[in-house]
Structures are given as structure tokens and as C-alpha cells.
Amino acid sequence: YGRWGWGARRPTQAELSGMLGLSPSAFTRLVDRAARRGLVRRVQGVSRRANTLELTQRGWAAWERLEKKISAVLPVLFQGVTRAEGEVALRVLRRVSRRIEEEEEER
């Protein structure tokens, strides 16, 4: 968790949803699907809102496969894009993602 700035502490589900720019309800649905697939398990915190997540053995294996694929493709995709440009693009994508979720929740 240290490489994401959390130190040894696991982030809560709420912190993760915020970091990913997802609404709590959208993130809960995502976690529910991952749990049904055997990729994660919830670890009870002080309260239900303080749950943390733990990758299962199957989840770690999936993460390692994904990390290898991402590491291979990112340099190619972002060749010529500055860090500042990437940060702007990420902010825009997060904003669009939140708006899509708001629209879905309104339906």
C-alpha cells in the first residue's frame, strides 16, 4: 500500500472509491462483482463504512497478470504525452466518469 501513499495501512472502501473517482454506490457494485468472482474479500473495520478490501490469492494472480499487460502497453500509448497532459486527461476522464454515474443513478 506504500506505493500509493497509504503506508502500511489499508485504505477503506470509501477512500478507494474516492481515489478512483467512483461514487460509493458504483464502487460497492464493483466490489460486489469482484467478491463474487473470488478476487477480493471485505475485511470488517470499526464500522461498515470503514471496511477495507483484501485481494484473495486469485485476486493477486489476476493483479499480477494485469500489471504486466499495463506495464507493456502504457509506454507505447503515452509516448509523447507529458506528465502534465496526462494529469489533465485523467482529471477530465474522472469528471466524465462521475457524470455518467450520476446519470445512471438518476434513472
Side-chain angles (χ1 to χ4, degrees), residues 7-106:
R9 176 180 81 77
R10 285 190 184 134
T12 65
Q13 243 183 262
E15 290 169 330
L16 285 170
S17 70
M19 182 180 82
L20 296 171
L22 296 173
S23 69
S25 60
F27 188 70
T28 297
R29 289 190 302 271
L30 179 68
V31 171
D32 289 344
R33 286 193 306 270
R36 282 193 302 272
R37 292 179 62 199
L39 300 171
V40 299
R41 71 177 135 265
R42 288 180 173 93
V43 178
Q44 184 67 42
V46 176
S47 71
R48 185 166 188 258
R49 300 184 117 198
N51 282 344
T52 60
L53 301 174
E54 181 175 86
L55 287 175
T56 62
Q57 186 174 0
R58 185 175 180 185
W60 278 113
W63 172 254
E64 288 171 2
R65 289 189 307 273
L66 179 62
E67 195 171 38
K68 283 180 187 174
K69 290 178 182 179
I70 290 171
S71 295
V73 76
L74 280 181
V76 174
L77 293 176
F78 287 94
Q79 186 174 1
V81 176
T82 68
R83 181 179 184 94
E85 291 169 331
E87 289 171 357
V88 168
L90 186 57
R91 281 196 307 271
V92 169
L93 290 172
R94 284 183 177 149
R95 186 177 300 165
V96 169
S97 176
R98 281 192 298 272
R99 187 66 192 124
I100 290 169
E101 290 171 14
E102 290 167 2
E103 286 290 321
E104 288 175 350
E105 288 176 1
E106 290 175 8

